[in-house]
Structures are given as C-alpha cells and as structure tokens.
Amino acid sequence: MGSKFADTKRAARWKTFQYDFPERSLAGKVVAVAGGSGGLGAALVALLAAEGAKIICGYRANRERAELLQRAMLQQFEAKIELVEGDIADAAVHHAYLAAVEKFGSPLTAAAIFPGDPARVKWEELDAATLESSLRANLVGPLLLARALGDSMESAGAGALVLLGTMQALAPFEGSVAYAAPKAALVHTARILAKQWKKVRVNCVAPGATEAGMAESSIASGKYDRFIESGAIPRFGRPEDVARAVRFFLDPDVYATGQVLLLDGGLTLRRDSV
C-alpha cells in the first residue's frame, strides 16, 4: 500500500522536469510588518508593495516617516497601507493591529516583527532599569505582539511569522550583553513558538552589520571598516538583503519552521581573524 499523503500527480510532472515555482504568492494577501517604517522594515514593505500585498505597517512614534513611506508606496506601486502607531508591548496596540486586519476583510497571512533597541550601554553602567528597558524592547514587545498575531493566524488555519534577531544573539561580542541577551532569548522564543503552534510557521532572521537600521551610525562612522579591510566580509549588509530573507520565510508554502538565518556575510565566522 502506498502513502496516502504522496502527491502522485506532482510526482508524474517531476519525471518530465515540470516544476512549480509560484511567483507573487503574497499578492492580495494581508501582511503585517511591525517596525515597517524603520531602516530595515521599510525595505520589506517596499518588496511586499511591489508584489501587491495588503500591508499593515507599524511604527512606534515617528508618524511623519511612516506617512512618507505610505505616500511613496502609493506612488511607486499603488499600494495602500494601513498604519498602526504605538509600543508593541502594549495590549491596545495589539488590538489595533488586529483591527487593521479586519479593515482589509481578509485573514492575516503573514507577519514580520522588526522593532528593537540597540541598548548601547557600557558594562559599568548596566543597572536594572537599562536591562529592563532592553528586555521590553527586544523581547517582551516582540513576543507579546507575536502571540496576538500568531494566535490569530493559528485560528484562521495557516500563517507565517518572522522575528528579527541579530548576529550578536548567535555569537559572543564583547560589551553587547544588554542587547544580545534579550535577542538570544527572542531567537529561542521563535523555536518554541514554532513547536507550540501547529499551523503557523515561525522563523528568525539575524542580520549582521547592515547599512540601515541599528548599525547605520556605526558603519557611517567607519567603526566597522576593519571588517572589510581584513576580508572578514566582502561588503556591509543592505536592507534589501534582509527584506529578501524575511520574504522567503513569509511565503505561504515555504518548507521551513523553527529556523534561524544568520545574515552577516560571514562576520561571526571570521571575526576572530580580524
């Protein structure tokens, strides 16, 4: 007796080298991007807008920048974007995201959660307040919003969720404990959620030194030039790199969950030789 789950029709097509590579699989689908107006999130919003997705773009407080992105996406791609403002650790903001989904009249298909804080604090200045602030921004907020959006997708029967980590969560960098520890917990959270939910896939993208987002000022100052000069990395990361990686995991039919994609150009692998 053969497998009752095997797709014999697809198997027959494969024997004649016919394959299915769907394009624009998120066109017309509702996708939420928390932190979508930020340096990295905006690139994902643009990629999704070009594809024709229905986008919910979250931002913390800079409404001017969010509206600028909204107008740019309408002009470039005729994309209409719903904006949601506020701290993603707050329950009222979770309700606002779900209300924005209802406005589109379709279930949420996928979500990416970008917000965080670099928590640049000297070791000798660490105290409970700074650690708690980093935990709220880098773990508590993303986790609570993930719960709200993930539970919604689980109830709807399918979905994809991507959390944004960092290379510092996967490899030890001196002086980064305030930022790296909560992000490391977020990476493990992604794995737990991937196991806990049965219909929602959860993955994590961990960027390295990228020219937009939290590393932007450090790169502009020349602080990281040594990584290129030494050959540790061929170039700095770009927001497009992160957008493409996140978009891969958001695909409705991608065959991956509970995974972490390190997107650092090889920096954590070679940094000790710098």
Side-chain angles (χ1 to χ4, degrees), residues 87-103:
D87 183 347
I88 62 170
D90 294 339
V93 176
H94 307 162
H95 295 313
Y97 273 91
L98 296 175
V101 172
E102 291 181 1
K103 284 184 180 180

Side-chain angles (χ1 to χ4, degrees), residues 184-198:
L186 188 67
V187 168
H188 195 56
T189 293
R191 296 189 178 109
I192 294 172
L193 295 179
K195 184 175 179 66
Q196 181 169 308
W197 285 318
K198 304 303 181 186

Side-chain angles (χ1 to χ4, degrees), residues 35-258:
S37 64
L40 297 180
L44 177 62
V45 168
L47 184 59
L48 293 170
E51 188 172 350
K54 300 175 181 178
I55 304 166
I56 299 165
C57 176
Y59 66 98
R60 182 180 175 88
N62 191 342
R63 187 168 186 85
E64 181 179 359
R65 178 178 169 84
E67 290 180 340
L68 182 64
L69 174 65
Q70 186 183 45
R71 290 193 297 271
M73 295 301 98
L74 181 61
Q75 180 180 13
Q76 293 179 40
F77 307 111
E78 298 184 353
K80 294 183 179 179
I81 297 176
E82 286 287 328
L83 298 178
V84 174
E85 179 179 4
D87 183 347
I88 62 170
D90 294 339
V93 176
H94 307 162
H95 295 313
Y97 273 91
L98 296 175
V101 172
E102 291 181 1
K103 284 184 180 180
F104 280 120
S106 302
L108 183 65
T109 294
I113 301 178
F114 279 79
D117 186 279
R120 294 189 179 97
V121 56
K122 295 180 180 179
W123 171 254
E124 60 272 16
E125 295 175 1
L126 270 181
D127 57 19
T130 56
L131 286 172
E132 288 168 2
S133 176
S134 180
L135 279 167
R136 180 181 176 91
N138 294 308
L139 175 63
V140 175
L143 169 55
L144 293 178
L145 180 60
R147 181 181 65 179
L149 300 182
D151 281 350
S152 173
M153 291 187 285
E154 184 79 1
S155 296
L161 180 70
V162 176
L163 298 175
L164 199 74
T166 172
M167 66 178 180
Q168 296 175 35
L170 303 178
F173 285 80
E174 300 91 329
S176 68
V177 67
Y179 175 57
K183 282 291 192 178
L186 188 67
V187 168
H188 195 56
T189 293
R191 296 189 178 109
I192 294 172
L193 295 179
K195 184 175 179 66
Q196 181 169 308
W197 285 318
K198 304 303 181 186
K199 301 173 183 177
V200 176
R201 292 175 294 96
V202 186
N203 293 286
C204 183
V205 171
T210 306
E211 289 186 271
M214 295 181 188
E216 182 177 356
S217 60
S218 294
I219 287 176
S221 72
K223 178 180 177 181
Y224 296 150
D225 282 0
R226 68 185 189 279
F227 295 138
I228 295 179
E229 292 167 348
S230 68
I233 53 175
R235 61 171 173 83
F236 294 124
R238 299 166 185 156
E240 294 93 339
D241 296 324
V242 178
R244 285 193 296 264
V246 174
R247 170 60 186 83
F248 166 74
F249 283 130
L250 293 181
D251 194 272
D253 198 38
V254 77
Y255 195 52
T257 192

